[in-house]
Amino acid sequence: MQAITVENLSKTFRVKRKEKGMRGSIKAILHPQTEEIRAVNGVSFSVDEGEMLAFIGPNGAGKSTTIKMLTGILYPDGGRVEVLGIDPMKKRKQLAYRIGTVFGQKEQLWTHLTPYDNFRFFGAIYDLSERETEERIAELSERFELNAFIDTPVRNLSLGQRIRCEIVASLIHKPKVLFLDEPTIGLDPVVKENVRELIKQMNREEHTTIFLTSHDVGDIEKLCRRIIIVNDGQIVLDDSVERLKSHYQDKMAADVYARSQESGMAEKYEEAPNISLEEILVDIYRSEEDG
Amino acid sequence: MLTAAKNQLRVCLLSMKYNMMREMVNKVTFLTNVCFMVLNNASILVQWIILFRLREDVGGYTFREILFLWGLTAASFGLSHILFARAFSLSDLIIRGKLDSYLVQPKNVLVSVLTSSTDISAIGDFLYGVALVCACRPGVGGFFLFLLFTVTGTAIFTAFALLLGSLSFWFVRMDILQGQMVMGAVSFATYPDGIFEGISRFLLYFIVPVGMAVWYPVHVIVSFHAGMFFAVLGYACALSVTAVAVFYRGLKRYASGNLMEARM
């Protein structure tokens, strides 16, 4: 069963263009010029229920725009989207009951309230009864270890504690699909590891589909089996993390062997060193930049 | 349908409660904000008292009618800023791409946005408006009309701000125009309509909705006129429907944003 189906998805933004300086500003008023930027250009993919997918790419590749179209925030210009069999554009509210979103760069919680009050607010947003909300808060507080600071105003929490609360707020209604946009941005390595462990646990126990965008290779390696790389609004790679690494390992070994043959030092050929996922991604991003 | 409306109301009430809680974190600031707004409004009345010592009427208004004018403007402006303060800063939300958190909630986007903020000093405006009208002893019927027109005035001021704010989906820097037009409307509303003539009068009745928000209602409270009464109700409904339609039309053009931000 597929949790997400995307076919030929496109989104174009019209951006104003202006020449440098005051003269450019005046010219822009008299003769405004705009440029069309295709943020997402004919993207197609699907995600199975319970799958953990990394949707990555360099800055400005179209990741966030895609996630925003999948969650009903942005209207696509073309193509078809279905999340849990629901079109986000036609039934945004219906879909919102079944998905959760965490935007690492945007805070959804009220900073002057305690996490407990915030969770009660989110319970009301998702039409949970008082009892259901209390039970869910107790369960998630236990699992995410929030009890020590659940009654402290959010503005007084550390970033790691706040992100844990953000994730809990997005899970209060037991979503079937969780969209995570840079969930570990700015966290220290220990907190990152904790957050990853909690996401894995949630996927394991509640069979939640995870759609992750992140620039942190650790997030991708430790959470996801499958990876989709986008650049210039198009998918450039859709494969398993394992196959991607093994493919690069083979390619690197072949390169080292070829070089040793060329230099006539075949006897000095050694096995290619292990290549990290980060190096692979840098290589892919650079080769995409070079066209 | 009824359950959905009930659930939406529950969220709105919680949102308002939390907004109040935020503003009341510092009790001294909260109380001084409210009290100084009352004093600020009251101080402007002094110029009217002096003026009415020199003349019997200004623009066809007696001092009592001026008090109705001020009372209704303050109460409508106050209530719109207590309940729907976000309408008055909608441009900023749209320009900076801050509607995302409302769009991922299973609730009506517009209602959630409008009720997501409260201007606490507006409580002072509202109380001042009610006190002023009570001081004029309008009678039971007059007071009922005042309450009704406070609601229509709130709807008109909010819809006007919403309409201008929604234009930010198409045009940049509408926040400046929105702020100036709304504050202009409120300023004009505190002067009698008799002093405006020709094009300015036309503009203040049909473009900047001061006439329908305050002037017609004051005429109806002073001397009931069915035509004006229904014109105000009709205008409030028509402007609200138009503003909502423009907002949802514009929402399809919403471009979101990637700025770092917090819900304060």
Side-chain angles (χ1 to χ4, degrees), chain B residues 200-216:
Chain B
S200 59
R201 192 178 171 84
F202 173 82
L203 289 175
L204 291 169
Y205 266 95
F206 296 102
I207 306 298
V208 182
V210 180
M212 294 298 175
V214 183
W215 293 335
Y216 262 27

Side-chain angles (χ1 to χ4, degrees), chain A residues 7 18 29 39 49 67 120 124 127 140-141 146 157 172 192 199 208 222 227 229 246 259 271:
Chain A
E7 282 173 16
K18 183 184 94 60
I29 294 171
E49 261 184 23
I67 227 176
R120 284 181 58 86
D127 302 341
L140 291 169
S141 306
L146 308 182
L157 300 181
I172 205 91
K192 269 185 191 176
I199 294 169
T208 313
K222 290 181 180 164
I227 191 169
I229 300 177
S246 120
R259 274 203 302 275
E271 234 180 71

Side-chain angles (χ1 to χ4, degrees), chain B residues 5 17 99 203 217:
Chain B
K17 180 180 145 189
L99 294 180
L203 289 175

Side-chain angles (χ1 to χ4, degrees), chain A residues 68 73-75 92-93 96-97 105-113 117 121 124-128, chain B residues 7 10-11 14 18-19 21-22 97 100 103-107 109 252 254 256-258 260-263:
Chain A
K68 283 171 184 172
I73 292 173
L74 293 178
Y75 277 74
R92 183 192 62 79
K93 280 198 265 183
Y97 281 111
Q105 299 184 53
K106 292 190 180 187
E107 205 162 276
Q108 299 186 74
L109 303 174
W110 300 68
T111 51
H112 66 292
L113 297 178
D117 282 333
F121 180 67
I125 282 177
Y126 292 102
D127 302 341
L128 302 185
Chain B
N7 288 333
R10 184 180 160 210
V11 173
L14 258 183
Y18 287 160
N19 279 321
M21 280 165 67
R22 174 178 53 201
D100 296 13
L103 283 161
V104 292
Q105 293 172 3
K107 289 283 168 281
V109 184
K252 293 187 176 176
Y254 176 59
S256 186
N258 285 320
M260 301 277 269
E261 65 184 53
R263 185 173 194 164

